[in-house]
Amino acid sequence: ILGCVCSPETINAGKIALAHGVAMVSALSSAPEISKIGDHVFRFYNDLDAAKTVAEQLKKMNAKKIGAVYVNNEYGNAYIAAVDSLFDGEIVLNEKINNEEKDFSLVAKKIKKDAANLDALIIVLIDESANVSLLKSMDTEGLLKTLSGKIIGSEALLTDAILKQVGKLSDGIMSVQFPEFKNLGGDSENFLRAFKEKNTVGSSDVFVVLFGEATRLIIGAINQVGNDGDAVAQKIREITKEKPRQGIFGSYYFDGSDAQALKFVVRTAKDGKLQ
């Protein structure tokens, strides 16, 4: 199985796949819990790696008191728990957001009450409209100026689609992202160019490459060992540090369920674009 995308779906579907001996590769699911499902479920990155990058940035900022606004599911809870365990400080503002939340005016007002005490604010929302609504509500309360240089979010906070909607409101906001596309390496540029000649792309360029590599990984394994799920999973497990795979974006290997591939970096918005 190629998929799922979101972590909650991957956790549930992965358990079913494991029970039936089916190999499953997710290109984008990132919750740490996925690593524990079993030896038939694989994915390309882990929020623990992103959380480590956030914690390192908080240390550089000498942040001791932080606020956290995050989606109340496996993705958001695991992400913030990981950051909390890795940085030497305290979460003094803790706002869990339901998936259905669309109006963030009250959340912005709550942040405003504690803004003077915050050294940093972490935002971990997966939904595009939720991120846009939160940023606009924070701007209405003057928080984007009050917390200038102190806001840091997950990779979902400043996607290309969100930047188009909020423009320069995003300036100064940090986001823990994959490297800039031009720095991915391997055959990424040629793959993306060929893909865009035949397909409409509604996701980020990096995500397209990750999906492309996940697809090639599965097809390659099936071509080698057939369609038996146990054999496919074993073939993927054989991609080790000693015997890495040369993928679209370069060399990588699996450590358990997790591909050791792209590393997260902190990128900052300037003039409505990520730098």
Side-chain angles (χ1 to χ4, degrees):
I1 297 174
L2 172 64
C4 305
V5 176
C6 295
S7 293
E9 287 79 2
T10 296
I11 290 169
N12 290 321
K15 292 175 182 177
I16 297 171
L18 176 66
H20 289 270
V22 175
M24 179 173 166
V25 180
S26 172
L28 301 182
S29 299
S30 55
E33 186 179 339
I34 293 166
S35 302
K36 305 173 185 176
I37 295 174
D39 60 6
H40 280 53
V41 180
F42 307 90
R43 44 80 172 277
F44 274 13
Y45 68 98
N46 189 330
D47 281 330
L48 286 177
D49 297 326
K52 289 176 184 176
T53 305
V54 172
E56 289 167 0
Q57 183 63 27
L58 292 174
K59 185 176 181 180
K60 291 178 182 178
M61 296 164 62
N62 196 31
K64 298 298 182 183
K65 295 183 178 182
I66 69 170
V69 178
Y70 55 102
V71 61
N72 187 20
N73 63 15
E74 288 89 345
Y75 169 68
N77 292 325
Y79 199 113
I80 295 302
V83 172
D84 190 25
S85 68
L86 291 167
F87 96 106
D88 184 22
E90 179 186 3
I91 297 179
V92 296
L93 171 69
N94 195 313
E95 282 295 319
K96 293 187 177 185
I97 306 299
N98 292 326
N99 279 319
E100 300 78 17
E101 188 67 55
K102 299 300 180 185
D103 183 357
F104 285 83
S105 56
L106 291 178
V107 175
K109 291 183 185 299
K110 289 182 180 179
I111 298 171
K112 188 174 183 179
K113 289 181 180 179
D114 288 306
N117 298 320
L118 297 179
D119 298 318
L121 177 69
I122 303 175
I123 299 174
V124 183
L125 301 176
I126 195 68
D127 183 73
E128 178 183 311
S129 61
N131 279 298
V132 170
S133 179
L134 175 61
L135 290 177
K136 289 184 175 180
S137 295
M138 288 176 64
D139 181 58
T140 299
E141 297 295 333
L143 289 167
L144 297 185
K145 292 182 178 179
T146 303
L147 296 174
S148 178
K150 296 182 178 181
I151 302 172
I152 184 168
S154 66
E155 75 277 4
L157 178 61
L158 295 182
T159 63
D160 291 341
I162 290 174
L163 288 168
K164 287 180 181 177
Q165 295 177 68
V166 301
K168 291 187 177 181
L169 289 182
S170 64
D171 284 7
I173 296 176
M174 296 170 282
S175 178
V176 172
Q177 298 267 347
F178 290 119
E180 201 171 353
F181 186 81
K182 64 182 181 181
N183 296 326
L184 283 190
D187 196 40
S188 299
E189 291 189 9
N190 290 331
F191 172 84
L192 185 68
R193 187 183 304 112
F195 186 86
K196 285 186 173 181
E197 287 176 357
K198 298 181 179 180
N199 302 277
T200 300
V201 177
S203 184
S204 77
D205 291 345
V206 175
F207 285 0
V208 171
V209 170
L210 289 175
F211 265 111
E213 178 54 29
T215 305
R216 288 187 178 185
L217 174 65
I218 292 173
I219 292 173
I222 291 173
N223 285 340
Q224 287 182 292
V225 301
N227 62 0
D228 178 77
D230 295 330
V232 171
Q234 176 59 34
K235 196 65 185 178
I236 295 175
R237 289 196 297 272
E238 290 173 2
I239 302 171
T240 62
K241 190 174 184 179
E242 292 72 30
K243 296 180 180 180
R245 172 180 166 85
Q246 193 63 33
I248 295 171
F249 48 76
S251 179
Y252 69 95
Y253 64 93
F254 283 93
D255 181 3
S257 295
D258 299 345
Q260 304 302 304
L262 303 180
K263 302 300 180 183
F264 288 93
V265 296
V266 177
R267 298 176 64 187
T268 305
K270 183 179 180 181
D271 296 326
K273 297 181 179 180
L274 277 175
Q275 303 298 311

